[in-house]
Amino acid sequence: MALTQGGRANKAGNILERNVEAILTGHNYFQVGNYVSKEFILNAALLPKRYGKEIYIGTGIYHTDLKVDFYVVGSPAMPSGLIFECKWQESPGSVDEKFPYLNMNIQNYYPAPTIVILGGEGMREGASKWLKARVNDNHNLLAVYSLDRFIAWANKNL
């Protein structure tokens, strides 16, 4: 059965997330949970370098549940925790239209500094530039990287 456009997008996004996960495990981080709360990740102190996926962090600007792709604890650069969000856009679509929503939630509701990792070639050029410029006015948005730039950052900071 052929995948729908949405199915292909989800598959590609999952591949980006698996790359980020491989980077974390390559830097000796251990996964301690999926679909758990940030309190669980923060209190799993037996593993000093740990992460969880799809972590519930509270509610956002629409007063709906917010989950982040990765919540990482144990980075020497960010001892209080770090959030990674992965956004993939292979062909023209709606991911980049969600950047203002993502930015506002990061700025107002995310409990830790955040790095957004962008992949694919389908995002509008102006959209990714806009999000990268938000690093200057969003105290909680640490960086916006492509996967290769994220790898370089991780090699120095994780």
Side-chain angles (χ1 to χ4, degrees):
M1 182 169 132
L3 284 176
T4 64
Q5 182 176 352
R8 284 189 304 274
N10 284 338
K11 184 177 179 181
N14 288 336
I15 291 170
L16 176 60
E17 289 180 12
R18 285 197 302 268
N19 276 278
V20 171
E21 195 165 9
I23 292 163
L24 287 168
T25 58
H27 287 280
N28 300 317
Y29 284 80
F30 293 92
Q31 184 178 1
V32 295
N34 287 344
Y35 308 103
V36 296
S37 70
K38 72 177 190 266
E39 289 78 18
F40 180 84
I41 297 296
L42 293 171
N43 293 321
L46 292 177
L47 293 169
K49 293 176 82 173
R50 59 196 180 274
Y51 71 94
K53 292 172 57 180
E54 295 297 320
I55 302 303
Y56 173 75
I57 61 166
T59 59
I61 62 172
Y62 297 153
H63 304 288
T64 56
D65 289 350
L66 279 180
K67 292 181 182 175
V68 297
D69 292 332
F70 293 91
Y71 202 113
V72 179
V73 176
S75 165
M78 299 289 163
S80 64
L82 188 59
I83 293 171
F84 299 147
E85 289 283 17
C86 300
K87 301 298 175 196
W88 181 269
Q89 186 74 49
E90 180 91 18
S91 58
S94 65
V95 165
D96 54 16
E97 294 172 357
K98 299 172 186 169
F99 287 170
Y101 171 81
L102 175 66
N103 180 63
M104 288 182 71
N105 278 319
I106 291 170
Q107 186 167 23
N108 296 305
Y109 294 99
Y110 278 34
T114 302
I115 293 175
V116 177
I117 303 144
L118 301 178
E121 298 178 353
M123 289 179 211
R124 294 174 194 98
E125 186 175 329
S128 58
K129 283 183 180 179
W130 180 87
L131 186 59
K132 289 176 183 179
R134 300 292 63 81
V135 171
N136 298 321
D137 55 34
N138 182 339
H139 69 283
N140 225 15
L141 182 58
L142 188 61
V144 178
Y145 292 131
S146 62
L147 181 59
D148 61 332
R149 294 305 317 144
F150 175 70
I151 292 168
W153 177 89
N155 287 340
K156 294 176 186 171
N157 295 287
L158 292 179

